[in-house]
Amino acid sequence: MNMMKKPLLKILFIASLASVIYSCKKEIKKTVILKNDSHGVKKDSNAAKNDQNVENHQVVYNEIKALKKASNYADGPIQSFDMSFTNQIFKVRYIEDRAYIRYEIDGKVIQDWQFLNVNFYYDSSYEIAQKDSHMLYNESNSSGILLFPSFTEEYAAYFVYEFNNNKLQYVKEIILNMSMPAEVWSNVHIFKAVREKNTMQISLSDNKGKEYLFQDREEVRENESPENRNLSKDLILLNSKK
């Protein structure tokens, strides 16, 4: 009698185990489907947001905090400052009281040496100009904005340059027409730009999320289109020390 019970118990045990395994597989499959559905909803939501930006002709540029900066300000005919991100590099060169910039992608020259608006003299320095230079970028269309410190005695101001895979060009000068609390600059702060049709709004947000809007500076600076009598000589020097 006991010998007959053992095979029967064994069969019941195997059947019970198979039922448990089958139930577990169903739950796992259900969980995977739910996760995939959730991912799909999130993806569709982001896509809808991007589509909305396209419909509104709106392009958002976010600041690149991982921007690589390298410099050499040793005494000599040229002082250098490079900014790079992924395969793009912007080479800034100082010759006496003049500054130039060159734009390359993968070593290919996209925009050769041109005059650069930047405040690195008077009450400033090479190091301060380097620290206060920023890049804002939009990955979807590989375009971006460069901000270089401008001339100001009281408020924050910047020269704005725009770039894409084909060119680099000066756009305008902006200013923050208000005195900023010192802690805004000493703590984390982020620049952002939004281009909508033919307008561009640049802003700064502090570490609490408060946003400050820059205004276009109407005053035309003498150094925006300088008569550079040293250009030919400077270009020879620049091209000899790439």
Side-chain angles (χ1 to χ4, degrees), residues 5 15 45 57 64 123-124 127 131 136 141 148 192 234:
K5 283 184 178 180
S45 176
H57 303 285
I64 301 298
D123 59 341
S124 187
E127 290 80 8
K131 184 178 180 181
L136 288 59
N141 62 6
F148 293 101
K192 179 181 177 180
D234 288 349

Side-chain angles (χ1 to χ4, degrees), residues 54-116:
V54 171
E55 289 176 4
N56 294 335
H57 303 285
Q58 188 180 82
V59 182
V60 178
Y61 301 91
N62 295 305
E63 184 175 4
I64 301 298
K65 287 296 187 181
L67 185 64
K68 294 181 180 179
K69 297 180 179 181
S71 59
N72 182 358
Y73 301 133
D75 290 340
I78 294 180
Q79 285 70 44
S80 65
F81 162 42
D82 295 344
M83 295 190 299
S84 60
F85 174 67
T86 60
N87 61 340
Q88 301 169 321
I89 183 169
F90 299 88
K91 298 182 176 181
V92 176
R93 298 295 181 265
Y94 301 116
I95 301 177
E96 297 179 0
D97 61 347
R98 304 175 297 281
Y100 298 89
I101 188 169
R102 176 172 174 157
Y103 173 34
E104 300 178 3
I105 298 180
D106 288 326
K108 178 184 177 182
V109 177
I110 304 301
Q111 183 73 55
D112 213 345
W113 298 113
Q114 62 174 289
F115 182 82
L116 173 66

